[in-house]
Amino acid sequence: MTPSNAQRTTNPSRRAAIAGLGLTDMGPVYGRSSASLAEEAVRRAAADAGLRLSEVDGLIVSNGVSGGVGLGLQRDLGLLDLRLLCEMQGFGSTAGSMVQYASMAVESGAAEVVACVFADAPLRPGRTAQDAYSRGGGGGRDASPPAGWGGLLAAAGVRGPNTMYALAARRHMERFGTTTEDLAAVAVAQRAWAAGNPLAQYRDPITVEDHHASRWIAEPFRKLDCCLVSNGGVAVIVTSAERAAALAHPPVHVLGWAQCHPGLSLDRNPDFGIVTGAARSGPAALSMAGVGLADVEVVELYDCYTFTVLVSLEDYGFCAKGEGGAFVSSGATAPGGSLKLNTGGGQLSAYYMWGMTPLSEAVIQVRGEGGDRQAHPHDLALVSGNGGVLDHHATLVLASGRP
Amino acid sequence: MTAVAGPGPVARNEDSAAFFDGTAAGRFLLRRCRPAGHWNRPQAVRCAQCDSPDLRPEPAAGTGRLVSWVVVHPRPGADDPPPPAVPAIVELDEGPWWWTMMVGADPAGLRAGLPVQVVFERPEGSEAVPVWTPVRGQPPT
Ligand SMILES: [Zn+2]
């Protein structure tokens, strides 16, 4: 079990905070390797914090689908005698988990200044976003057929996350009566938020009719139910609250963290599409932070698809199980609504940096640097990562101050 | 009725050889534990319920219920677009779930809980692929 805040014995001055955020250009950024984007993101994060790069003594690197970000990033950055270095992979949950492990390292004294970075460059000129993320199988004319259990999935047309998440969404729709209009409401609300985000790839407003007019990808998903695909890199710097307080920005304190990995991928799973691991990582992270759901002022939920947002809202308890559709269709999550959700437009409209998308927006919001899209109040943020096909969950609770 | 695509080709490997021997003979082999008779999915190496490593292949009845399905539409623009494919999840009557595809059914008529049965298709150059179709004469429940 996650220890409650009361059991957390770390000296408060050593508790972790995010002191720096670095983002590269996002989107169809061509001619750059993922390693070069990662390097730039770390340099920007250190500069943002007001740290010399040489003060970084811990580095956690992570990859998207294009690979290429490895332990060699240490050399690219010229970092000597690191006290912590590893590569991590938890797919969409990686960012939250990286911050968790970096925080644990800082709190234990294993490292003092840990950079966590994600970068990916799947887009190439002339290749569609869908191609960048589709699994192979049966496509090539001279390719031998895909083999074994994975080959059977490909033979059945289960060739990537669009289909697999759509299977989850269909189940929710059949069970609870969730509709395509409900899914559209998520896309429309997030695009409205993106209008205020200068970093967003798509900022022009869309309507429910635009959603319905966008082509089917894997029914019940249309194109506007699916995240975009981006090249880019994002890094954060985690250090002690004491150290962070002396740096360039007010600290973003890491109050709570938790993961949940249910472990039933492709197996019999009555919860598939109905309840995700966020239903356990959420309460655990809030308990560790010593706060309740009602205290949360900004919510950044992983949004690989509109449906992921809808089911996550239920699992965290922002609405009752099965009522996510009605909740989003009420306008509660659009700008001006009761819940400040995915305030930068998320991965549906802004940029697709896996768990770094909700994390980066949470840091911006808690700092109060959200400009036209700034939420008020913004002192406590919940950040959710989700990876695999609802298989890996990481939740963070971030705050401008300690409770 | 909307025509839907059949499965693509698949090859066997070491782990799946016995399963494809079964599909070639028109059987869908689950793996059943000897100690307690628990049914496990075809790729199981230990029993999910009692952790026994003592599993033997045993044919399933070949019937189940539709858990979920998706309609993968062809990309627009093709002169002669292929029919849509219908990847699906089926709950076998023995208990395990199987990620597969539906054939021989208009996607508009599919519902969760629909009784389905296995059929075996053999695309060119492929092992026999188990796919699923509605049980004839059974209305959705
Ligand atoms: Zn057993």
Side-chain angles (χ1 to χ4, degrees):
Chain A
M1 285 301 294
T2 309
S4 75
N5 206 41
Q7 294 165 303
R8 201 169 167 196
T9 52
T10 313
N11 179 331
S13 68
R14 280 221 60 83
R15 288 192 188 165
I18 296 172
L21 171 65
L23 300 101
T24 68
D25 288 342
M26 302 284 175
V29 180
Y30 299 132
R32 300 276 309 273
S33 68
S34 52
S36 133
L37 291 162
E39 182 196 338
E40 181 187 337
V42 173
R43 289 183 189 279
R44 283 176 178 261
D48 177 70
L51 287 162
R52 292 190 312 279
L53 197 58
S54 59
E55 293 177 271
V56 171
D57 65 354
L59 179 62
I60 306 178
V61 307
S62 67
N63 278 290
V65 288
S66 64
V69 185
L71 302 185
L73 188 62
Q74 176 184 15
R75 273 189 51 172
D76 296 343
L77 290 164
L79 296 171
L80 302 177
D81 299 323
L82 288 178
R83 297 199 287 157
L84 183 151
L85 173 66
C86 68
E87 180 181 340
M88 272 186 50
Q89 186 55 276
F91 304 104
S93 74
T94 314
S97 299
M98 287 197 294
V99 169
Q100 172 183 338
Y101 297 131
S103 298
M104 293 166 77
V106 165
E107 298 199 2
S108 72
E112 180 72 24
V113 177
V114 182
C116 306
V117 63
F118 169 91
D120 201 7
L123 286 177
R124 292 201 299 265
R127 187 161 82 157
T128 68
Q130 202 175 348
D131 287 339
Y133 267 74
S134 285
R135 221 172 271 164
R141 266 173 292 279
D142 9 302
S144 51
W149 307 121
L152 266 172
L153 280 180
V158 183
R159 287 188 183 141
N162 291 341
T163 297
M164 297 168 94
Y165 272 90
L167 284 164
R170 172 83 70 186
R171 198 147 188 263
H172 195 279
M173 297 168 93
E174 289 283 300
R175 175 74 60 88
F176 298 119
T178 306
T179 65
T180 188
E181 285 76 19
D182 298 332
L183 298 181
V186 174
V188 170
Q190 291 198 198
R191 183 61 64 85
W193 279 110
N197 184 0
L199 302 170
Q201 286 175 232
Y202 294 106
R203 300 180 62 187
D204 293 335
I206 55 170
T207 64
V208 170
E209 290 69 35
D210 292 332
H211 169 272
H212 290 2
S214 71
R215 70 181 175 92
W216 289 119
I217 299 292
E219 187 183 344
F221 286 162
R222 301 176 184 276
K223 190 165 193 297
L224 286 175
D225 290 305
C226 304
C227 60
L228 41 88
V229 175
S230 310
N231 293 355
V234 183
V236 294
I237 303 284
V238 178
T239 188
S240 67
E242 188 174 48
R243 181 94 175 250
L247 294 175
H249 294 276
V252 175
H253 298 275
V254 185
L255 296 194
W257 56 71
Q259 299 178 33
C260 181
H261 308 268
L264 290 172
S265 181
L266 299 177
D267 214 336
R268 180 185 177 86
N269 178 11
D271 282 347
F272 180 71
I274 305 297
V275 181
T276 78
R280 289 192 287 282
S281 64
L286 289 164
S287 167
M288 179 179 175
V291 300
L293 201 62
D295 300 317
V296 173
E297 293 162 348
V298 177
V299 184
E300 306 296 345
L301 298 181
Y302 198 87
D303 57 337
C304 43
Y305 301 93
T306 50
F307 167 69
T308 317
V309 177
L310 194 151
V311 73
S312 300
L313 283 167
E314 297 175 357
D315 289 336
Y316 281 101
F318 292 106
C319 61
K321 181 49 66 184
E323 293 178 8
F327 185 67
V328 296
S329 284
S330 75
T333 64
S338 58
L339 192 70
K340 309 305 177 193
L341 174 73
N342 292 357
T343 49
Q347 304 187 99
L348 296 172
S349 286
Y351 46 89
Y352 185 59
M353 287 284 110
W354 293 20
M356 281 296 192
T357 300
L359 175 63
S360 58
E361 178 65 14
V363 171
I364 290 166
Q365 287 287 334
V366 170
R367 284 177 171 182
E369 295 174 348
D372 291 345
R373 69 188 190 281
Q374 181 63 49
H376 297 282
H378 52 82
D379 289 318
L380 192 75
L382 182 143
V383 184
S384 181
N386 157 66
V389 184
L390 307 169
D391 293 314
H392 308 291
H393 303 268
T395 306
L396 295 174
V397 179
L398 305 179
S400 61
R402 294 245 158 228
Chain B
M1 177 172 140
T2 308
V4 300
V10 62
R12 66 176 58 202
N13 59 13
E14 209 169 76
D15 290 342
S16 59
F19 180 78
F20 286 120
D21 285 343
T23 63
R27 295 187 301 182
F28 189 99
L29 295 177
L30 291 170
R31 293 179 63 78
R32 199 169 189 189
C33 84
R34 271 179 217 274
H38 298 130
W39 292 96
N40 289 274
R41 56 191 186 149
Q43 60 270 56
V45 291
R46 298 183 81 100
C47 178
Q49 290 177 69
C50 70
D51 204 37
S52 169
D54 188 7
L55 305 181
R56 62 192 154 85
E58 190 167 321
T63 50
R65 301 259 172 177
L66 184 61
V67 171
S68 189
W69 74 100
V70 164
V71 186
V72 180
H73 296 260
R75 293 198 191 182
D79 288 340
D80 186 18
V86 188
I89 303 171
V90 166
E91 178 176 291
L92 277 67
D93 284 340
E94 290 81 3
W97 284 18
W98 186 245
W99 289 51
T100 178
M101 99 191 301
M102 288 293 294
V103 298
D106 187 336
L110 299 178
R111 296 288 178 268
L114 182 74
V116 293
Q117 65 187 42
V118 71
V119 292
F120 297 93
E121 297 203 3
R122 191 189 286 269
E124 191 182 340
S126 173
E127 300 287 346
V129 182
V131 293
W132 299 74
T133 195
V135 174
R136 300 292 166 217
Q138 289 230 25
T141 52

